[in-house]
Amino acid sequence: MNQLQITINNSNENLCKIIHQSIYESPKKRITFAQYMDLVLYHPQYGYYASHPVNIGKQGDFLTSSHWGADFGELLAEQLMQMWNILNQPYNFTLVEMGAGQGILAEQVLEYLKQNHLDFFQTIKYLIIEKSEVLKEEQKERLHSYKVRWCDWDEISHSSITGCLFSNELVDAFPVHKIIIEDREIREVYVSSDSDGKFIEISGETSTPRIAEYFNLVGIDLLSFPDVEGYQTEVNLQALDWINTVASKLQKGYLLTIDYGYQAPRYYNPTRRQGTLQCYYEHHRNNDLYWNIGRQDITAHVDFTALEKQGILSGLENIGFTQQALFLMALGLGDRLNELSNNQGFSIQEVLRRREVLHSLIDPMGLGNFGVLVQGKGLSEEEKKQTLKGLSMPAMG
C-alpha cells in the first residue's frame, strides 16, 4: 500500500515518543494498529482516557445517551428490574457496569430504583469495571452516597454472578486490527515511522491467524467482493476476548450491550470501502487517526454478529437484538412523550426542551439507531419464555 505520512501537530509529544519507542523495539519496526490504538487511548499516563479529566459530555468530545437526561438510565432500570423478576427476585442480584464513563448512568439507575423500586434497590450489588483511573475517580466522587464497588475482572470469581452485566458505548472503543485487501489477499495495516519521525502506515501479512478465523466466525468472505482491491476494514479481536471473560463470570442472568454498529453483512458491506474507524474531538468527527494523538477519541463500529457468535461458543444464548429507539419505546419512552401533552405543570419552553431530549434518544439518524444486544446464560425454559419488555417490539434483523 502507499505509505501514508502523518504529521503529529497538536499531539501529545510524550505519547508520540512512547509510540515511536514501541515501533523501534518491535522486531520488524512496526506495530499493529490495535497496538497503536491501545497506546493512544489507554496508555496509563498519556492515553486519551487517562489524561483527559473531561472528555465526555457537553464540555468534552462526545455525548452518550445518559447525558441527555435521566430518562435513558430510568428506562434501563425498568428493564433491569424485570430481569430480576424473571429470575424470581434473587437476593444479591448483581449489576456489573463495564466502562461507566463519568458514572452518570449508574447514578440514574440507582437513584431511580431507590425512589421507585426500593425492594429491588436493596438487593442490588452494583459493581463497576473501569480501566481509566481518571474516570474511576470521577465515578467515585459522583456515586459516593451509593453502595458501589469497583473491581477488576480477576477479582470476580468464575461463574459467580447472578444478575446482569451491561455496557453503553464500551465495545466501540476497543482497539481494532486494521485490514486491507491487496493482490486478493487479506493483509494487515501496521503503524511504522519514517526517517523524519513521522508515522506511516505499511501493509504486511496478518499478525495472527485469529483474523482469518474471525471472518469464518461471522460468515464473511471479503475476497468474494466485487472490486475488492484496496478495501479496508477492521477486526475487533478484543471484543471476542471480552465476551469470553464476561461469559465465564456469569452463572445466571443476562449480558446487555448497547453500542453503535451493525450485523456482519452490513458492517462488511462491499461499498463500505474505508471501514468504520472515526475520531472525535470537541464534538467534531474526523477521519485522521494520527492527528491530535492522545487528545482525541478513536472508535470503530461494533460487529454484533461477532458478539453473538462468540457468545454462543462461550456458553451464552442470544435473547434478542433490536435498536435503541425500539428498546426505549417498549420500556415506556412513548408514554413519557404522551405525558408531556397532558401535563399542565410545565412551561412551553420546558415542554419543548423535554420533548427534544426524549426525541434525541430515539433519533433514527443518531442514538436511536444504536444496537441493543441481549444474551443470556443459565436461564430455565420457563424463564426464557418470558419476553424482556425492551425486546417486546419487533426485533430488527
Side-chain angles (χ1 to χ4, degrees):
M1 67 182 294
N2 292 328
Q3 291 190 344
L4 175 64
Q5 293 192 357
I6 298 116
T7 61
I8 58 172
N9 294 339
N10 305 314
S11 300
N12 184 312
E13 291 187 10
N14 289 319
L15 181 57
C16 288
K17 290 177 182 177
I18 290 169
I19 297 170
H20 278 298
Q21 185 68 20
S22 181
I23 292 169
Y24 177 77
E25 292 175 352
S26 63
K28 295 186 177 181
K29 302 298 184 286
R30 67 186 189 186
I31 58 175
T32 65
F33 184 82
Q35 291 172 300
Y36 167 80
M37 188 171 168
D38 187 59
L39 287 169
V40 168
L41 296 182
Y42 300 109
H43 184 274
Q45 189 173 358
Y46 301 116
Y48 175 77
Y49 286 109
S51 58
H52 279 59
V54 180
N55 51 29
I56 310 172
K58 294 179 181 178
Q59 304 303 316
D61 298 324
F62 61 92
L63 290 165
T64 65
S65 292
S66 59
H67 286 93
W68 287 97
D71 298 276
F72 180 77
E74 291 174 359
L75 294 170
L76 178 61
E78 287 288 344
Q79 182 59 88
L80 296 172
M81 190 183 73
Q82 189 208 9
M83 291 173 172
W84 178 61
N85 286 328
I86 289 175
L87 299 187
N88 200 27
Q89 301 184 351
Y91 186 68
N92 280 344
F93 187 88
T94 302
L95 297 177
V96 183
E97 184 176 1
M98 301 164 287
Q102 295 170 311
I104 294 173
L105 181 58
E107 182 181 36
Q108 292 170 353
V109 168
L110 289 167
E111 185 59 27
Y112 180 78
L113 292 176
K114 181 180 178 182
Q115 297 297 327
N116 296 277
H117 302 290
L118 188 60
D119 54 342
F120 180 37
F121 175 80
Q122 290 174 335
T123 72
I124 290 172
K125 289 171 59 181
Y126 203 106
L127 308 182
I128 290 178
I129 295 177
E130 179 59 62
K131 196 170 183 179
S132 166
E133 291 298 326
V134 171
L135 289 175
K136 191 181 296 184
E137 289 307 309
E138 190 166 352
Q139 293 161 13
K140 289 181 177 180
E141 184 176 341
R142 183 182 299 275
L143 301 170
H144 68 273
S145 61
Y146 301 98
K147 289 184 178 180
V148 177
R149 182 164 71 90
W150 284 260
C151 62
D152 298 321
W153 284 119
D154 57 8
E155 298 175 62
I156 300 176
S157 300
H158 178 80
S159 193
S160 64
I161 292 173
T162 296
C164 179
L165 300 99
F166 66 98
S167 64
N168 180 45
E169 294 193 60
L170 169 71
V171 184
D172 65 271
F174 287 172
V176 295
H177 292 261
K178 198 174 179 186
I179 305 302
I180 187 169
I181 305 298
E182 290 182 328
D183 299 325
R184 299 202 61 80
E185 286 186 20
I186 296 177
R187 292 167 65 79
E188 187 158 1
V189 176
Y190 294 85
V191 180
S192 187
S193 55
D194 65 9
S195 57
D196 295 327
K198 295 177 180 178
F199 292 120
I200 58 174
E201 289 187 345
I202 58 176
S203 63
E205 71 286 354
T206 53
S207 60
T208 169
R210 293 184 67 198
I211 290 172
E213 294 166 4
Y214 181 98
F215 287 111
N216 289 333
L217 176 72
V218 300
I220 297 294
D221 180 7
L222 293 182
L223 299 181
S224 69
F225 289 177
D227 190 27
V228 72
E229 187 69 15
Y231 181 93
Q232 294 191 52
T233 191
E234 311 88 31
V235 168
N236 193 337
L237 296 180
Q238 188 169 322
L240 306 186
D241 298 335
W242 173 74
I243 283 283
N244 290 341
T245 299
V246 172
S248 73
K249 307 299 182 182
L250 182 61
Q251 180 183 47
K252 182 172 184 174
Y254 301 90
L255 169 60
L256 174 62
T257 306
I258 303 174
D259 223 314
Y260 54 92
Y262 313 111
Q263 299 280 18
R266 189 175 171 197
Y267 191 110
Y268 298 107
N269 189 296
T271 62
R272 200 184 306 282
R273 294 186 55 81
Q274 298 302 314
T276 71
L277 278 163
Q278 52 196 356
C279 308
Y280 291 92
Y281 179 69
E282 295 182 351
H283 296 290
H284 292 287
R285 186 170 60 185
N286 71 80
N287 297 315
D288 192 340
L289 303 167
Y290 305 93
W291 174 73
N292 251 359
I293 294 172
R295 293 179 176 149
Q296 67 173 359
D297 194 19
I298 303 177
T299 70
H301 283 46
V302 176
D303 174 2
F304 282 101
T305 301
L307 301 186
E308 292 172 347
K309 299 279 191 179
Q310 189 64 34
I312 291 171
L313 294 177
S314 303
L316 301 177
E317 292 184 85
N318 292 324
I319 304 297
F321 177 73
T322 189
Q323 290 179 331
Q324 177 170 304
L326 297 177
F327 182 73
L328 295 180
M329 289 294 285
L331 288 168
L333 189 142
D335 296 335
R336 295 187 176 209
L337 278 169
N338 292 333
E339 288 171 6
L340 285 177
S341 304
N342 305 321
N343 196 318
Q344 305 301 315
F346 293 119
S347 68
I348 292 177
Q349 290 81 4
E350 288 172 326
V351 169
L352 291 175
R353 187 199 67 79
R354 182 104 174 85
R355 188 179 297 276
E356 180 185 6
V357 166
L358 291 172
H359 277 293
S360 70
L361 295 173
I362 56 174
D363 179 4
M365 301 302 292
L367 296 170
N369 198 38
F370 277 32
V372 180
L373 174 64
V374 185
Q375 296 160 285
K377 185 179 180 183
L379 304 178
S380 69
E381 291 303 317
E382 189 62 34
E383 289 162 345
K384 292 177 193 175
K385 291 178 183 177
Q386 300 185 57
T387 302
L388 293 178
K389 189 175 180 182
L391 299 177
S392 59
M393 285 189 172
M396 303 299 293

